[in-house]
Amino acid sequence: MFDIFNSIRKTSGGDAPFQVTRQTIIGDILDMDSTTAPYFMEIGMHCLGCPASRGESIEEACAVHGVDCDALLAKLNAHLAGKAGA
């Protein structure tokens, strides 16, 4: 019942890698692939287990931490694409 986010883990494109956008929720990314955690730690998000941080969008987190959102998106998407191609 509370596992709503599992339904959005994959894109509808079949084999296409999951694309992180400005609106993607951090908790969804971490649930899908915990190896993305270092990218959030890098920008100063040290409390990834906190419900508040897990419920933020990428855009909100970047605004709070003064980070270039596009740069973080590029890193996350490259990481996820690399894992999908492996």
Side-chain angles (χ1 to χ4, degrees):
M1 179 174 168
F2 294 105
D3 203 10
I4 298 168
F5 300 113
N6 281 332
S7 64
I8 62 170
R9 285 188 178 181
K10 296 182 181 177
T11 60
S12 59
D15 292 333
F18 179 80
Q19 283 284 256
V20 177
T21 69
R22 289 175 174 266
Q23 291 74 38
T24 306
I25 303 300
I26 292 169
D28 294 345
I29 299 167
L30 293 168
D31 289 345
M32 179 189 63
D33 186 344
S34 63
T35 66
T36 59
Y39 296 101
F40 296 107
M41 300 291 278
E42 223 175 63
I43 69 166
M45 288 192 70
H46 299 127
C47 59
L48 293 177
C50 170
S53 68
R54 288 184 57 88
E56 286 182 326
S57 69
I58 295 287
E59 186 170 47
E60 292 167 332
C62 287
V64 168
H65 292 281
V67 173
D68 179 3
C69 191
D70 293 326
L72 179 59
L73 288 172
K75 286 180 183 182
L76 289 167
N77 283 319
H79 175 80
L80 294 170
K83 289 189 81 173

Coordinates of all heavy atoms in Angstrom, one line a residue:
M1 N 0.8 -1.2 0.0 CA 0.0 0.0 0.0 C 0.9 1.3 0.0 O 0.6 2.2 -0.7 CB -0.9 0.0 1.2 CG -1.8 1.2 1.3 SD -2.9 1.0 2.7 CE -3.5 2.6 2.8
F2 N 1.9 1.3 0.8 CA 2.7 2.5 0.9 C 3.9 2.4 -0.1 O 4.7 3.3 -0.1 CB 3.3 2.7 2.3 CG 2.2 3.0 3.3 CD1 1.7 2.0 4.2 CD2 1.6 4.2 3.3 CE1 0.7 2.3 5.1 CE2 0.5 4.5 4.2 CZ 0.1 3.5 5.1
D3 N 4.0 1.4 -0.9 CA 5.1 1.3 -1.8 C 4.7 1.9 -3.2 O 4.9 1.3 -4.2 CB 5.5 -0.2 -1.9 CG 6.9 -0.4 -2.4 OD1 7.6 0.6 -2.4 OD2 7.2 -1.5 -2.7
I4 N 4.3 3.1 -3.1 CA 3.8 3.8 -4.3 C 4.9 4.0 -5.4 O 4.7 3.9 -6.5 CB 3.2 5.2 -4.0 CG1 2.0 5.0 -3.1 CG2 2.8 6.0 -5.2 CD1 1.5 6.2 -2.4
F5 N 6.1 4.3 -4.9 CA 7.2 4.8 -5.8 C 7.8 3.6 -6.6 O 8.5 3.9 -7.6 CB 8.2 5.5 -5.0 CG 7.7 6.7 -4.3 CD1 7.6 6.8 -2.9 CD2 7.2 7.8 -5.0 CE1 7.1 7.9 -2.3 CE2 6.6 8.9 -4.4 CZ 6.6 8.9 -3.1
N6 N 7.5 2.4 -6.2 CA 8.1 1.3 -7.0 C 7.5 1.3 -8.4 O 8.2 0.8 -9.3 CB 7.8 -0.1 -6.4 CG 8.8 -0.3 -5.2 OD1 9.9 0.2 -5.2 ND2 8.3 -1.1 -4.3
S7 N 6.4 1.8 -8.6 CA 5.8 1.8 -9.9 C 6.4 2.8 -10.9 O 6.2 2.7 -12.1 CB 4.3 2.2 -9.8 OG 4.1 3.5 -9.3
I8 N 7.2 3.8 -10.4 CA 7.9 4.7 -11.3 C 9.4 4.5 -11.4 O 10.1 5.3 -11.9 CB 7.7 6.2 -10.8 CG1 8.3 6.4 -9.4 CG2 6.2 6.5 -10.9 CD1 8.3 7.9 -9.0
R9 N 9.9 3.3 -11.0 CA 11.3 3.1 -11.0 C 11.9 2.9 -12.4 O 13.0 3.3 -12.7 CB 11.6 1.8 -10.2 CG 11.6 2.0 -8.8 CD 12.0 0.8 -8.1 NE 12.0 1.0 -6.6 CZ 12.4 0.2 -5.7 NH1 12.8 -1.0 -6.1 NH2 12.3 0.5 -4.5
K10 N 11.1 2.5 -13.3 CA 11.5 2.3 -14.7 C 10.7 3.2 -15.6 O 9.6 3.5 -15.4 CB 11.4 0.9 -15.2 CG 12.2 -0.1 -14.4 CD 12.0 -1.5 -14.9 CE 12.8 -2.4 -14.1 NZ 12.6 -3.8 -14.5
T11 N 11.4 3.7 -16.7 CA 10.7 4.5 -17.7 C 9.8 3.5 -18.5 O 10.1 2.3 -18.5 CB 11.7 5.2 -18.6 OG1 12.5 4.2 -19.2 CG2 12.5 6.2 -17.8
S12 N 8.9 4.1 -19.2 CA 8.0 3.3 -20.1 C 8.7 2.8 -21.3 O 8.2 2.0 -22.1 CB 6.8 4.0 -20.4 OG 7.1 5.2 -21.1
G13 N 10.0 3.2 -21.5 CA 10.7 2.8 -22.7 C 11.3 1.5 -22.7 O 12.2 1.2 -23.5
G14 N 11.0 0.6 -21.8 CA 11.5 -0.7 -21.7 C 12.9 -0.8 -21.2 O 13.2 -0.8 -20.0
D15 N 13.9 -0.8 -22.1 CA 15.3 -1.0 -21.7 C 16.0 0.4 -21.5 O 17.2 0.4 -21.1 CB 16.1 -1.7 -22.8 CG 15.7 -3.2 -22.9 OD1 15.2 -3.7 -21.8 OD2 15.8 -3.8 -24.0
A16 N 15.3 1.5 -21.7 CA 15.9 2.8 -21.5 C 16.2 3.0 -20.0 O 15.4 2.6 -19.1 CB 15.0 3.9 -22.0
P17 N 17.4 3.6 -19.7 CA 17.7 3.8 -18.3 C 16.8 4.9 -17.7 O 16.2 5.7 -18.4 CB 19.1 4.3 -18.3 CG 19.3 4.9 -19.7 CD 18.4 4.1 -20.6
F18 N 16.6 4.8 -16.4 CA 15.8 5.7 -15.7 C 16.4 7.1 -15.8 O 17.6 7.2 -15.6 CB 15.7 5.3 -14.2 CG 15.0 6.2 -13.3 CD1 13.6 6.1 -13.2 CD2 15.6 7.1 -12.5 CE1 12.9 7.0 -12.4 CE2 14.9 8.0 -11.7 CZ 13.5 7.9 -11.6
Q19 N 15.6 8.1 -16.1 CA 16.2 9.5 -16.2 C 15.7 10.3 -15.0 O 14.6 10.4 -14.7 CB 15.6 10.1 -17.5 CG 16.3 9.7 -18.8 CD 17.7 10.3 -18.9 OE1 17.8 11.2 -19.7 NE2 18.7 9.9 -18.2
V20 N 16.7 10.9 -14.4 CA 16.5 11.7 -13.2 C 16.2 13.1 -13.8 O 17.0 13.6 -14.6 CB 17.7 11.7 -12.3 CG1 17.5 12.7 -11.1 CG2 18.0 10.3 -11.8
T21 N 15.2 13.8 -13.3 CA 14.8 15.1 -13.7 C 14.8 16.0 -12.4 O 15.0 15.5 -11.3 CB 13.5 15.2 -14.3 OG1 12.5 14.9 -13.3 CG2 13.3 14.2 -15.5
R22 N 14.6 17.3 -12.6 CA 14.6 18.2 -11.5 C 13.4 17.9 -10.5 O 13.5 18.2 -9.4 CB 14.3 19.7 -12.0 CG 15.5 20.2 -12.8 CD 15.2 21.6 -13.4 NE 16.4 22.2 -13.9 CZ 17.1 23.0 -13.3 NH1 16.8 23.4 -12.1 NH2 18.2 23.5 -13.8
Q23 N 12.4 17.2 -11.0 CA 11.3 16.9 -10.2 C 11.4 15.5 -9.5 O 10.5 15.2 -8.7 CB 10.0 17.0 -11.0 CG 9.6 18.4 -11.4 CD 10.4 18.9 -12.5 OE1 10.8 18.2 -13.4 NE2 10.7 20.2 -12.4
T24 N 12.4 14.7 -9.8 CA 12.5 13.4 -9.3 C 12.8 13.5 -7.8 O 13.6 14.4 -7.3 CB 13.7 12.6 -9.9 OG1 13.5 12.6 -11.4 CG2 13.7 11.2 -9.4
I25 N 12.1 12.7 -7.0 CA 12.2 12.7 -5.5 C 13.5 11.9 -5.1 O 13.7 10.8 -5.6 CB 11.0 12.1 -4.9 CG1 9.7 12.9 -5.3 CG2 11.1 12.1 -3.4 CD1 9.7 14.4 -5.0
I26 N 14.3 12.5 -4.2 CA 15.5 11.9 -3.8 C 15.3 10.5 -3.2 O 16.1 9.6 -3.6 CB 16.3 12.8 -2.8 CG1 16.7 14.1 -3.6 CG2 17.4 12.1 -2.2 CD1 17.2 15.2 -2.7
G27 N 14.3 10.3 -2.4 CA 14.1 9.0 -1.9 C 13.8 7.9 -2.9 O 14.2 6.8 -2.8
D28 N 13.2 8.3 -4.0 CA 12.9 7.4 -5.1 C 14.2 7.0 -5.8 O 14.4 5.8 -6.1 CB 12.0 8.0 -6.2 CG 10.6 8.3 -5.6 OD1 10.2 7.8 -4.6 OD2 9.9 9.1 -6.3
I29 N 15.1 7.9 -5.9 CA 16.4 7.6 -6.6 C 17.2 6.6 -5.7 O 17.7 5.6 -6.1 CB 17.2 8.9 -6.8 CG1 16.5 9.8 -7.8 CG2 18.6 8.5 -7.3 CD1 17.0 11.2 -7.8
L30 N 17.2 6.9 -4.4 CA 18.0 6.1 -3.4 C 17.4 4.7 -3.3 O 18.1 3.7 -3.2 CB 18.0 6.8 -2.1 CG 18.9 8.1 -2.0 CD1 18.6 8.8 -0.7 CD2 20.3 7.8 -2.2
D31 N 16.0 4.6 -3.3 CA 15.4 3.3 -3.3 C 15.7 2.5 -4.5 O 15.9 1.3 -4.4 CB 13.9 3.5 -3.1 CG 13.5 4.0 -1.8 OD1 14.3 4.0 -0.8 OD2 12.3 4.4 -1.6
M32 N 15.8 3.1 -5.6 CA 16.0 2.5 -6.9 C 17.5 2.0 -7.0 O 17.8 0.9 -7.5 CB 15.7 3.4 -8.1 CG 16.0 2.7 -9.4 SD 15.8 3.9 -10.8 CE 17.1 5.0 -10.4
D33 N 18.4 2.9 -6.5 CA 19.8 2.6 -6.6 C 20.6 3.3 -5.5 O 20.9 4.5 -5.6 CB 20.3 3.1 -8.0 CG 21.8 2.7 -8.3 OD1 22.5 2.3 -7.3 OD2 22.2 2.7 -9.4
S34 N 20.9 2.6 -4.5 CA 21.6 3.1 -3.3 C 23.0 3.6 -3.6 O 23.6 4.4 -2.8 CB 21.6 2.2 -2.2 OG 22.3 1.0 -2.5
T35 N 23.6 3.2 -4.8 CA 24.9 3.6 -5.1 C 25.0 5.1 -5.5 O 26.0 5.6 -5.8 CB 25.6 2.7 -6.2 OG1 24.9 2.9 -7.4 CG2 25.6 1.3 -5.7
T36 N 23.8 5.7 -5.6 CA 23.8 7.2 -5.9 C 24.0 8.0 -4.7 O 24.2 9.2 -4.8 CB 22.4 7.5 -6.6 OG1 21.4 7.2 -5.7 CG2 22.2 6.8 -7.9
A37 N 24.0 7.4 -3.5 CA 24.1 8.2 -2.3 C 25.3 9.1 -2.3 O 25.2 10.3 -1.8 CB 24.1 7.3 -1.1
P38 N 26.5 8.7 -2.7 CA 27.7 9.6 -2.7 C 27.5 10.9 -3.4 O 28.1 11.9 -3.0 CB 28.8 8.7 -3.3 CG 28.4 7.3 -3.0 CD 26.9 7.3 -3.1
Y39 N 26.7 10.9 -4.5 CA 26.4 12.1 -5.2 C 25.7 13.1 -4.4 O 25.9 14.3 -4.5 CB 25.7 11.8 -6.5 CG 26.5 11.0 -7.5 CD1 26.2 9.6 -7.6 CD2 27.5 11.5 -8.2 CE1 27.0 8.8 -8.4 CE2 28.3 10.8 -9.1 CZ 28.0 9.4 -9.2 OH 28.7 8.6 -10.0
F40 N 24.8 12.6 -3.5 CA 24.1 13.5 -2.6 C 25.0 14.0 -1.4 O 24.9 15.1 -1.0 CB 22.8 12.8 -2.1 CG 21.8 12.6 -3.2 CD1 21.6 11.3 -3.7 CD2 21.1 13.6 -3.8 CE1 20.8 11.0 -4.7 CE2 20.3 13.3 -4.9 CZ 20.1 12.0 -5.3
M41 N 25.8 13.1 -1.0 CA 26.7 13.4 0.1 C 27.7 14.5 -0.4 O 28.0 15.4 0.4 CB 27.5 12.2 0.6 CG 26.6 11.0 1.1 SD 25.9 11.4 2.7 CE 27.2 11.1 3.8
E42 N 28.1 14.4 -1.6 CA 29.0 15.4 -2.2 C 28.5 16.8 -2.2 O 29.2 17.7 -2.1 CB 29.1 15.0 -3.7 CG 30.5 15.0 -4.3 CD 30.5 14.5 -5.7 OE1 29.8 15.0 -6.6 OE2 31.1 13.4 -5.9
I43 N 27.1 17.0 -2.3 CA 26.6 18.3 -2.3 C 26.2 18.7 -0.9 O 25.6 19.8 -0.7 CB 25.4 18.4 -3.2 CG1 24.2 17.6 -2.7 CG2 25.8 18.1 -4.6 CD1 22.9 18.0 -3.5
G44 N 26.5 18.0 0.2 CA 26.2 18.4 1.5 C 25.0 17.7 2.1 O 24.6 18.1 3.2
M45 N 24.3 16.8 1.4 CA 23.2 16.1 2.0 C 23.6 14.9 2.8 O 23.7 13.8 2.3 CB 22.2 15.7 0.9 CG 21.5 16.8 0.2 SD 20.2 16.1 -0.8 CE 19.0 15.5 0.4
H46 N 23.9 15.2 4.1 CA 24.5 14.1 4.9 C 23.5 13.4 5.7 O 23.8 12.4 6.4 CB 25.6 14.7 5.8 CG 26.7 15.3 5.1 ND1 27.1 16.6 5.3 CD2 27.4 14.9 4.1 CE1 28.1 16.9 4.5 NE2 28.3 15.8 3.7
C47 N 22.2 13.8 5.6 CA 21.2 13.1 6.4 C 20.2 12.4 5.4 O 19.0 12.7 5.4 CB 20.5 14.0 7.4 SG 19.7 15.4 6.6
L48 N 20.7 11.5 4.6 CA 19.8 10.9 3.6 C 18.7 10.0 4.1 O 17.8 9.7 3.4 CB 20.7 10.1 2.6 CG 21.6 11.0 1.7 CD1 22.5 10.1 0.8 CD2 20.8 12.0 0.9
G49 N 18.9 9.6 5.4 CA 17.8 8.8 6.0 C 16.7 9.7 6.6 O 15.6 9.2 7.0
C50 N 16.9 11.0 6.6 CA 15.9 11.9 7.2 C 14.7 12.0 6.2 O 14.8 12.1 5.0 CB 16.5 13.3 7.3 SG 15.3 14.6 7.7
P51 N 13.5 11.8 6.7 CA 12.3 11.9 5.9 C 12.2 13.2 5.1 O 11.7 13.1 3.9 CB 11.1 11.7 6.8 CG 11.7 11.0 8.0 CD 13.1 11.5 8.1
A52 N 12.6 14.3 5.6 CA 12.5 15.5 4.9 C 13.4 15.5 3.7 O 13.0 15.9 2.6 CB 12.9 16.7 5.9
S53 N 14.6 15.1 3.8 CA 15.5 15.1 2.7 C 15.1 14.1 1.7 O 15.2 14.3 0.4 CB 17.0 14.9 3.1 OG 17.2 13.6 3.6
R54 N 14.6 12.9 2.1 CA 14.2 11.9 1.1 C 13.0 12.3 0.3 O 12.7 11.9 -0.8 CB 13.9 10.6 1.8 CG 15.2 9.9 2.3 CD 14.9 8.5 2.9 NE 14.1 7.7 2.1 CZ 14.7 6.8 1.2 NH1 16.0 6.7 1.1 NH2 14.0 6.0 0.4
G55 N 12.2 13.3 0.9 CA 11.0 13.7 0.2 C 11.2 14.9 -0.7 O 10.3 15.3 -1.4
E56 N 12.4 15.4 -0.7 CA 12.7 16.6 -1.6 C 12.9 16.2 -3.0 O 13.4 15.1 -3.3 CB 14.0 17.3 -1.1 CG 13.9 18.1 0.1 CD 15.2 18.8 0.5 OE1 16.3 18.2 0.2 OE2 15.1 19.9 1.1
S57 N 12.6 17.1 -3.9 CA 13.0 16.9 -5.3 C 14.5 17.3 -5.5 O 15.1 17.9 -4.6 CB 12.1 17.7 -6.2 OG 12.5 19.1 -6.1
I58 N 15.1 16.8 -6.6 CA 16.4 17.2 -6.9 C 16.6 18.7 -6.9 O 17.5 19.3 -6.3 CB 16.9 16.6 -8.2 CG1 16.9 15.1 -8.2 CG2 18.2 17.2 -8.7 CD1 18.1 14.5 -7.4
E59 N 15.6 19.4 -7.5 CA 15.6 20.8 -7.7 C 15.6 21.5 -6.3 O 16.4 22.5 -6.0 CB 14.5 21.3 -8.5 CG 14.5 22.8 -8.8 CD 13.5 23.1 -9.9 OE1 12.3 22.7 -9.8 OE2 13.8 23.9 -10.8
E60 N 14.8 21.0 -5.4 CA 14.7 21.6 -4.0 C 16.0 21.4 -3.3 O 16.5 22.4 -2.6 CB 13.5 21.0 -3.3 CG 12.2 21.3 -3.8 CD 11.1 20.5 -3.2 OE1 11.3 19.3 -2.9 OE2 9.9 21.0 -3.2
A61 N 16.5 20.2 -3.4 CA 17.8 20.0 -2.7 C 18.9 20.8 -3.2 O 19.7 21.4 -2.4 CB 18.2 18.5 -2.8
C62 N 19.0 21.0 -4.5 CA 20.0 21.8 -5.0 C 19.9 23.3 -4.6 O 20.9 24.0 -4.3 CB 20.0 21.7 -6.6 SG 20.7 20.1 -7.1
A63 N 18.7 23.8 -4.6 CA 18.4 25.2 -4.1 C 18.8 25.4 -2.7 O 19.5 26.3 -2.3 CB 16.9 25.5 -4.3
V64 N 18.5 24.4 -1.8 CA 18.8 24.5 -0.4 C 20.3 24.5 -0.2 O 20.9 25.2 0.7 CB 18.1 23.4 0.4 CG1 18.7 23.3 1.8 CG2 16.6 23.6 0.4
H65 N 21.0 23.6 -1.0 CA 22.5 23.4 -0.8 C 23.3 24.3 -1.7 O 24.5 24.1 -1.7 CB 22.8 21.9 -0.9 CG 22.2 21.1 0.2 ND1 22.8 21.0 1.4 CD2 21.1 20.4 0.2 CE1 22.0 20.2 2.2 NE2 21.0 19.8 1.5
G66 N 22.7 25.1 -2.5 CA 23.5 26.0 -3.4 C 24.3 25.3 -4.4 O 25.4 25.6 -4.7
V67 N 23.7 24.3 -5.0 CA 24.4 23.4 -6.0 C 23.8 23.6 -7.4 O 22.6 23.8 -7.5 CB 24.3 21.9 -5.5 CG1 24.8 21.0 -6.6 CG2 25.0 21.8 -4.2
D68 N 24.6 23.5 -8.4 CA 24.1 23.6 -9.8 C 23.3 22.3 -10.1 O 23.9 21.2 -10.1 CB 25.3 23.7 -10.7 CG 24.9 23.7 -12.2 OD1 23.7 23.7 -12.5 OD2 25.9 23.7 -13.0
C69 N 22.0 22.5 -10.3 CA 21.1 21.4 -10.5 C 21.5 20.6 -11.7 O 21.5 19.4 -11.7 CB 19.7 21.9 -10.5 SG 18.4 20.6 -10.5
D70 N 21.8 21.3 -12.8 CA 22.1 20.6 -14.1 C 23.3 19.7 -13.9 O 23.4 18.6 -14.5 CB 22.3 21.6 -15.2 CG 20.9 22.3 -15.5 OD1 19.9 21.7 -15.4 OD2 21.0 23.5 -15.9
A71 N 24.3 20.2 -13.2 CA 25.6 19.4 -13.0 C 25.2 18.1 -12.2 O 25.7 17.0 -12.6 CB 26.6 20.2 -12.2
L72 N 24.4 18.2 -11.2 CA 24.1 17.0 -10.4 C 23.2 16.1 -11.2 O 23.5 14.9 -11.2 CB 23.3 17.4 -9.1 CG 22.9 16.2 -8.2 CD1 24.0 15.4 -7.8 CD2 22.1 16.7 -7.0
L73 N 22.3 16.6 -12.0 CA 21.5 15.7 -12.9 C 22.4 15.0 -13.9 O 22.2 13.8 -14.1 CB 20.5 16.6 -13.6 CG 19.3 17.1 -12.8 CD1 18.5 18.1 -13.7 CD2 18.4 16.0 -12.3
A74 N 23.4 15.7 -14.4 CA 24.3 15.1 -15.4 C 25.1 13.9 -14.7 O 25.2 12.8 -15.3 CB 25.2 16.1 -16.0
K75 N 25.5 14.1 -13.5 CA 26.3 13.1 -12.8 C 25.4 11.9 -12.5 O 25.8 10.7 -12.7 CB 26.8 13.6 -11.5 CG 28.0 14.5 -11.7 CD 28.5 15.0 -10.3 CE 29.6 16.0 -10.4 NZ 30.1 16.4 -9.0
L76 N 24.2 12.1 -12.0 CA 23.3 11.0 -11.7 C 22.9 10.3 -12.9 O 22.9 9.0 -12.9 CB 22.1 11.6 -10.9 CG 22.3 12.1 -9.5 CD1 21.1 12.9 -9.0 CD2 22.6 10.9 -8.6
N77 N 22.5 11.0 -14.0 CA 22.1 10.3 -15.2 C 23.2 9.5 -15.8 O 23.0 8.4 -16.3 CB 21.4 11.2 -16.1 CG 20.0 11.6 -15.7 OD1 19.3 10.7 -15.2 ND2 19.6 12.8 -15.8
A78 N 24.4 10.0 -15.8 CA 25.6 9.3 -16.3 C 25.8 8.0 -15.5 O 26.1 7.0 -16.1 CB 26.8 10.2 -16.3
H79 N 25.7 8.2 -14.2 CA 25.9 7.0 -13.3 C 24.9 5.9 -13.6 O 25.2 4.7 -13.8 CB 25.9 7.5 -11.9 CG 25.9 6.4 -10.9 ND1 27.1 5.8 -10.5 CD2 25.0 5.7 -10.2 CE1 26.9 4.8 -9.6 NE2 25.6 4.8 -9.4
L80 N 23.6 6.3 -13.7 CA 22.6 5.3 -13.9 C 22.7 4.7 -15.3 O 22.4 3.5 -15.5 CB 21.2 6.0 -13.7 CG 20.9 6.4 -12.3 CD1 19.7 7.3 -12.2 CD2 20.8 5.2 -11.3
A81 N 23.0 5.5 -16.3 CA 23.2 5.0 -17.7 C 24.3 4.0 -17.8 O 24.2 3.0 -18.5 CB 23.4 6.2 -18.7
G82 N 25.4 4.3 -17.0 CA 26.5 3.4 -17.0 C 26.2 2.1 -16.4 O 26.6 1.0 -16.9
K83 N 25.4 2.1 -15.4 CA 24.9 0.8 -14.7 C 24.0 0.1 -15.6 O 24.0 -1.2 -15.7 CB 24.3 1.1 -13.4 CG 25.3 1.6 -12.4 CD 24.6 1.7 -11.0 CE 24.6 0.3 -10.5 NZ 24.2 0.2 -9.1
A84 N 23.1 0.8 -16.4 CA 22.2 0.1 -17.3 C 22.9 -0.5 -18.5 O 22.5 -1.6 -18.9 CB 21.2 1.1 -17.8
G85 N 24.0 0.0 -18.9 CA 24.8 -0.5 -20.0 C 25.7 -1.6 -19.6 O 26.3 -2.3 -20.4
A86 N 25.9 -1.8 -18.3 CA 26.8 -2.8 -17.8 C 26.2 -4.2 -17.8 O 25.1 -4.5 -18.0 CB 27.2 -2.5 -16.4

